[in-house]
Amino acid sequence: MKFIKKKNEEREDYILQDNTKTKVGARFIIITLILLIIGVIISGIYLRIF
């Protein structure tokens, strides 16, 4: 099984495609996870102080 399929490959066994929709989705998920991690850290610091 291949992880990333290039545009010109004729395969059916892949996980992600190398196209714009996949890149935008991956960036959105990564940014969301980073913001959630920052939120947890900030709330932990805030609750430890008070």
Side-chain angles (χ1 to χ4, degrees):
M1 178 175 273
K2 194 164 180 178
F3 189 69
I4 297 176
K5 175 189 162 213
K6 299 291 181 188
K7 292 179 183 177
N8 57 359
E9 287 182 326
E10 297 292 330
R11 297 182 69 121
E12 294 295 326
D13 60 338
Y14 60 91
I15 297 173
L16 298 173
Q17 265 186 303
D18 187 20
N19 61 14
T20 306
K21 193 182 294 186
T22 303
K23 291 177 185 177
V24 170
R27 285 185 186 135
F28 176 76
I29 291 170
I30 291 169
I31 290 170
T32 303
L33 288 174
I34 290 171
L35 290 174
L36 287 171
I37 291 169
I38 291 171
V40 168
I41 292 170
I42 290 173
S43 66
I45 292 171
Y46 179 76
L47 292 174
R48 184 173 285 188
I49 293 173
F50 294 107

